[in-house]
Amino acid sequence: MDSRAIGVFDSGLGGLTTVKKLLECLPGENIVYLGDTGRVPYGSRSKETIIKYAGQDAEFLAGFDIKAMVVACNTVCSVAYDALAANYEIPVYEVVSAPAKAAVEKTKNGRVGVIGTAATIRSNAYRAAILKLRPDLQVCSTPCPLFVPMAENGRTDSADIAALTIAGDYLYELRKANVDTLILGCTHYPLLRGVIAKVMGPEVALVDSGAETAKMVADDLLKRDMLCPGGTAAGAIKYFVTDNIDGFSALASRFLASEVSGMVEQVEIE
Ligand code: DGL
């Protein structure tokens, strides 16, 4: 048993969709969340910049004596995970391999789609993770750069014409490729699930990277006997952001799909 907190970070608030799933699996855990809201998005930046930012994010969290870290950002996991994880002795979880495995298990026609930021798609991390498990599958990937600002700005309603038009354009090739399973390879994208589902159609299974990762983290911490003692009592969450906290609660509650309780503080991590 280990009552220390789990550290979770993302470039912005997208990682809160992973926190939401973590809390569903592990309601008693204490969480320290860092959203690098002052520098989001990472997905359009160079590999060198993403590595530098991710290193600063991880160091900030490591200062809290956490028992494990979840890198709730597909962009960071796709380009910087190995170097980052090597710096820590605690378990550092990434958000790519669990959804890749889930998609491999779900597909029936052998065609898997992946959407993510430009950096995630350029890295080919998902393609490699899927083909490692099933080299015979067809993987069709496409970047959706506007999805992150749409999620952060609340343009996520499945009746929003602008959102549907943008999604229709981004997802056109994937529909043409007849994928039956689509990985939402960015922790911001679950907010757009309704829009994406409407464009892709009901026969396409959507795989949420945060949800799959949360299950993996819960299983692994249980195996290591590192869960928090204390039964079902709700754990505490501390939020840190690198930009102004105005409007944080309203925005964060959309990503968490519940009211935000717990402290929020603006910090300097550079
Ligand atoms: N939420 C991040 C991810 O999962 C992307 C957001 C960004 O571009 O910073 O990739």
Side-chain angles (χ1 to χ4, degrees), residues 10-15 39-44 72-76 95 116-117 120 145 148 152 185-189 209:
D10 178 38
S11 57
L13 300 186
R39 302 188 293 194
V40 67
Y42 285 8
S44 50
C73 177
N74 285 264
T75 305
V76 170
V95 288
T117 66
T120 297
V148 169
E152 297 253 345
C186 173
T187 51
H188 281 74
Y189 294 1
S209 68

Side-chain angles (χ1 to χ4, degrees), residues 5-261:
I6 302 173
V8 182
F9 80 85
D10 178 38
S11 57
L13 300 186
L16 292 177
T17 61
T18 307
V19 169
K20 171 177 181 280
K21 297 294 176 184
L22 270 174
L23 293 175
E24 284 170 16
C25 298
L26 302 170
E29 293 296 327
N30 300 306
I31 295 193
V32 182
Y33 182 84
L34 172 67
D36 191 7
T37 50
R39 302 188 293 194
V40 67
Y42 285 8
S44 50
R45 298 184 192 272
S46 69
K47 183 172 176 171
E48 294 66 34
T49 301
I50 296 167
I51 290 173
K52 179 176 130 195
Y53 288 179
Q56 293 168 341
D57 298 338
E59 273 305 283
F60 174 78
L61 286 179
F64 287 86
D65 186 27
I66 49 175
K67 65 180 171 189
M69 192 182 309
V70 179
V71 183
C73 177
N74 285 264
T75 305
V76 170
C77 294
S78 298
V79 307
Y81 174 75
D82 290 339
L84 191 79
N87 292 330
Y88 301 99
E89 282 175 10
I90 54 170
V92 178
Y93 299 103
E94 43 78 29
V95 288
V96 171
S97 50
K101 181 165 174 280
V104 165
E105 286 163 2
K106 272 193 168 70
T107 183
K108 292 195 172 63
N109 72 1
R111 293 173 195 184
V112 175
V114 182
I115 54 175
T117 66
T120 297
I121 300 305
R122 200 169 51 232
S123 76
N124 273 320
Y126 269 105
R127 181 183 299 278
I130 293 166
L131 296 182
K132 194 169 160 200
L133 297 169
R134 279 274 308 271
D136 58 311
L137 295 188
Q138 242 177 281
V139 182
C140 185
S141 329
T142 198
C144 302
L146 288 175
F147 279 3
V148 169
M150 282 160 64
E152 297 253 345
N153 288 286
R155 299 302 296 265
T156 55
D157 195 289
S158 60
D160 184 316
I161 299 295
L164 286 167
T165 306
I166 292 165
D169 186 47
Y170 281 153
L171 303 175
Y172 177 74
E173 290 300 329
L174 297 177
R175 292 183 56 214
K176 235 172 65 180
N178 193 26
V179 301
D180 71 349
T181 305
L182 176 63
I183 298 177
L184 309 184
C186 173
T187 51
H188 281 74
Y189 294 1
L191 261 77
L192 287 150
R193 194 181 182 99
V195 173
I196 295 166
K198 202 162 175 178
V199 171
M200 294 306 291
E203 64 289 349
V204 176
L206 303 183
V207 177
D208 174 339
S209 68
E212 298 304 328
T213 301
K215 287 185 245 165
M216 176 189 77
V217 172
D219 286 352
D220 193 60
L221 289 178
L222 177 65
K223 253 188 245 151
R224 293 172 185 259
D225 190 24
M226 284 176 71
L227 292 177
C228 192
T232 51
I237 312 187
K238 286 183 187 153
Y239 303 95
F240 295 94
V241 288
T242 56
D243 201 358
N244 179 328
I245 60 172
D246 291 351
F248 172 84
S249 297
L251 190 54
S253 58
R254 281 214 297 270
F255 284 87
L256 280 172
S258 69
E259 284 305 304
V260 173
S261 58

